[in-house]
Amino acid sequence: MSGKVRQRATANPVDAATTTVNERILRECHSLYTDGEKGLVDIAENLHLKLLAPRKKITVLLIGNHSAGKSTFINWYVEEHVQRTGVAIETQGFTFVTSGKKRESLTGNATLHLYPHFKDLMKLEGVMEYLATEVSTSKQIKFSLVTFVDTPGLVDGDMKYPFDVDEAILWLGDLADLIFVFFDPMGQALCKRTLNIVERLNEKHSERIKFYLSKADEAGSETDRQRVMMQITQELCKRPGLNKCGFDMPTIYVPQLNVRSSRCVNQIDEICKQVEKTINQTVQNTLNTLERDCEQISELVDKKLEEDRTASSYNLRARGKGALFGFLGFILPIVLLVNFLASSVSQELLKSLLGKAGAEALQVYMAPVASFWKSIPPDYHMHTLGALFFITLVLLFLAKWSSRLLPTLSRKQKRVLQENRDYVQDSVRGRKEALYLEYLQQSVGSADIN
Ligand SMILES: Nc1nc2c(ncn2[C@@H]2O[C@H](COP(=O)(O)OP(=O)(O)OP(=O)(O)O)[C@@H](O)[C@H]2O)c(=O)[nH]1
Ligand SMILES: [Mg+2]
């Protein structure tokens, strides 16, 4: 049955187109964020906003007891024998299986370069030697958007892992889009370690976890299979952290391995659908996030420009006040001093210096200030001069203090901000709209889109 499923998945031209569109959307979104000159990540960073570029593929983490068929499932999906399989403990580390141009096996360091999101794994002692990437040239249609993470089989008891396997799986689970838990019916299914890890993963990511009864063709008769399912379900329900009573557990097997020709129902296409569904959700989420990020960038630019306008008008007022105080601080002592000197100097001297008309004019203009001086007893003239000196100092201080300016943007900075805002609002949002339309067209068809 699932042989047919697989045929359908690869040969359907609509499917092929679907994946190509999704792939292109995710790629384009990624480059809108990381593009050298006008990447959103850099634009946002200049506004002190931290954005993460979206990933181009979804990550599917496979966990389960030893020999549950995790690696075999990956090989089946990819249609290429990339992972070693067998009854022995085959997978000992973490392997990222992804599609690429050339069949290649990469080391731990290369893996972290390829998947910088997962670089925290490095902090776990001993993991690096057990980290690898297998690049497959498989043209299996959905595979171009998926990275599988194969994990070591989980066993109880004396088995010693060269690193903290539980912790590593929990970390990977934090970043995976889907977590497939494989239970096989051959006795290992109720491995405590698996249940413990699932319970802990479930605390944070219950919606990402999907359970499968793998190698279902080996489960014996229908009654045996039901019994195994019951046991696993009961065991899961006993865990307070799982709370999964009545959950769905499709039975799956790799069709080619069904040597006993078991007639058990194979729901392996459920896995393919689940992967597809997650890809579609990821595409939608990525486009929605793009819209939100554009909005946030525009708001921040507007805020910054508004702040700059406020600062500029504040500075204008500050300069005005400063100039006024400065003027007063400068002019007041001169006027008073000139008058004081003029009134203390004898009329004859003034007349000889300025002429008769000049001396009279000076007297008229200085009359108010002269009367001020006259009202002060001559003994206090020096004190008054001291006070005036003090007032002048205060005025000059006020002039300096009130003309302190707020920082403003240069003309070039403003232009760059405005350009970025226009680019984000017009260009990026325009691309986002076009991509959304393409996405919708491939799923509902153009006739339904207004
Ligand atoms: N009959 C049958 N056998 C299967 C199926 N899937 C896997 N096997 C066999 O089960 C054995 C274990 O498969 P693996 O894929 O190596 O299992 P694993 O979960 O990767 O095991 P570890 O890497 O040791 O954790 C292999 O001999 C496979 O051929 C299946 O669907 N049906
Ligand atoms: Mg394996």
Side-chain angles (χ1 to χ4, degrees):
M1 175 210 161
S2 43
K4 280 190 208 145
V5 170
R6 177 37 54 104
Q7 259 180 2
R8 235 188 311 139
T10 26
N12 187 336
V14 177
D15 254 350
T18 302
T19 311
T20 322
V21 171
N22 283 343
E23 198 176 340
R24 206 155 36 75
I25 294 176
L26 289 181
R27 277 217 186 124
E28 189 164 339
C29 285
H30 182 86
S31 66
L32 282 171
Y33 280 80
T34 53
D35 186 47
E37 273 187 13
K38 282 225 172 281
L40 295 188
V41 173
D42 283 350
I43 293 181
E45 200 175 285
N46 289 334
L47 298 162
H48 308 293
L49 171 70
K50 191 149 180 49
L51 291 186
L52 276 181
R55 281 182 270 172
K56 285 182 269 186
K57 297 182 179 192
I58 64 159
T59 312
V60 180
L61 178 68
L62 282 111
I63 62 167
N65 45 282
H66 149 63
S67 228
K70 303 177 289 297
S71 306
T72 309
F73 169 77
I74 294 175
N75 290 346
W76 171 82
Y77 193 97
V78 175
E79 295 176 344
E80 189 175 344
H81 193 90
V82 263
Q83 284 295 80
R84 271 179 57 168
T85 58
V87 266
I89 295 183
E90 296 293 352
T91 314
Q92 293 185 341
F94 297 96
T95 312
F96 288 66
V97 182
T98 194
S99 65
K101 290 195 196 107
K102 202 168 120 209
R103 175 80 186 93
E104 208 170 349
S105 301
L106 305 172
T107 59
N109 275 324
T111 302
L112 292 182
H113 264 96
L114 212 53
Y115 300 99
H117 290 81
F118 290 88
K119 67 176 184 309
D120 273 359
L121 260 187
M122 213 164 57
K123 291 185 197 153
L124 271 185
E125 212 179 305
V127 165
M128 280 306 278
E129 296 95 279
Y130 290 89
L131 201 59
T133 297
E134 293 294 337
V135 184
S136 155
T137 52
S138 163
K139 289 283 166 280
Q140 199 316 89
I141 204 75
K142 296 288 183 293
F143 183 50
S144 56
L145 283 174
V146 186
T147 296
F148 286 109
V149 185
D150 198 5
T151 61
L154 300 171
V155 285
D156 285 334
D158 296 337
M159 167 75 184
K160 264 230 146 304
Y161 294 90
F163 46 82
D164 189 341
V165 68
D166 300 21
E167 217 43 54
I169 290 182
L170 290 174
W171 259 349
L172 287 163
D174 282 341
L175 293 160
D177 298 282
L178 274 174
I179 304 168
F180 289 158
V181 186
F182 279 19
F183 291 114
D184 84 305
M186 304 303 289
Q188 285 266 346
L190 299 174
C191 157
K192 292 245 172 347
R193 193 188 284 277
T194 311
L195 294 175
N196 288 343
I197 292 181
V198 171
E199 193 172 24
R200 286 180 68 188
L201 281 171
N202 192 64
E203 284 168 17
K204 284 204 249 168
H205 314 297
S206 63
E207 74 298 341
R208 294 184 202 167
I209 304 179
K210 308 286 165 210
F211 297 95
Y212 297 97
L213 183 75
S214 57
K215 292 161 80 168
D217 59 308
E218 290 202 339
S221 68
E222 182 61 22
T223 337
D224 290 338
R225 198 168 53 83
Q226 288 294 343
R227 198 176 304 137
V228 173
M229 293 271 276
M230 283 286 283
Q231 268 179 5
I232 297 174
T233 318
Q234 273 170 8
E235 214 44 54
L236 288 171
C237 286
K238 273 191 214 157
R239 301 278 175 146
L242 277 171
N243 207 9
K244 283 263 175 190
C245 295
F247 67 93
D248 198 27
M249 186 152 67
T251 51
I252 59 161
Y253 57 87
V254 172
Q256 294 87 329
L257 294 177
N258 182 10
V259 281
R260 291 185 220 160
S261 306
S262 161
R263 277 191 278 147
C264 151
V265 182
N266 193 357
Q267 295 171 287
I268 202 159
D269 53 336
E270 291 291 317
I271 294 204
C272 303
K273 282 194 191 134
Q274 188 59 58
V275 171
E276 218 171 302
K277 200 170 133 196
T278 309
I279 291 174
N280 286 335
Q281 272 166 3
T282 306
V283 172
Q284 289 176 48
N285 290 346
T286 306
L287 288 170
N288 292 340
T289 311
L290 177 61
E291 168 86 37
R292 247 199 337 270
D293 289 344
C294 286
E295 199 54 49
Q296 240 182 320
I297 288 178
S298 304
E299 275 170 20
L300 282 175
V301 169
D302 286 346
K303 197 168 148 224
K304 215 165 173 175
L305 290 174
E306 179 59 39
E307 275 169 8
D308 185 62
R309 269 193 294 275
T310 317
S312 294
S313 59
Y314 171 87
N315 287 352
L316 196 70
R317 280 200 307 276
R319 277 202 196 95
K321 271 195 264 177
L324 184 71
F325 285 128
F327 177 74
L328 286 176
F330 181 68
I331 210 73
L332 186 77
I334 292 183
V335 170
L336 291 170
L337 210 65
V338 166
N339 184 263
F340 175 66
L341 290 175
S343 56
S344 335
V345 172
S346 69
Q347 288 300 311
E348 280 68 40
L349 188 60
L350 269 183
K351 273 181 199 158
S352 66
L353 278 175
L354 303 169
K356 195 171 176 242
E360 275 168 13
L362 187 67
Q363 262 178 337
V364 172
Y365 287 120
M366 294 298 179
V369 193
S371 59
F372 165 75
W373 279 119
K374 276 192 193 118
S375 67
I376 298 167
D379 287 354
Y380 289 101
H381 277 186
M382 274 332 217
H383 294 88
T384 315
L385 270 180
L388 283 173
F389 181 66
F390 178 72
I391 291 172
T392 306
L393 280 184
V394 170
L395 281 170
L396 289 176
F397 171 76
L398 278 176
K400 178 116 188 85
W401 189 73
S402 55
S403 59
R404 278 175 324 156
L405 302 182
L406 292 174
T408 50
L409 299 169
S410 70
R411 210 173 276 196
K412 189 177 168 216
Q413 281 173 317
K414 273 195 273 192
R415 203 189 59 233
V416 170
L417 276 175
Q418 253 145 3
E419 271 172 13
N420 284 345
R421 187 174 162 282
D422 292 347
Y423 167 72
V424 165
Q425 281 293 356
D426 304 337
S427 212
V428 180
R429 280 180 98 169
R431 268 321 289 152
K432 182 241 139 194
E433 289 303 328
L435 291 173
Y436 226 127
L437 210 63
E438 273 183 61
Y439 171 77
L440 290 175
Q441 266 167 0
Q442 48 127 28
S443 50
V444 292
S446 49
D448 292 322
I449 302 169
N450 295 321

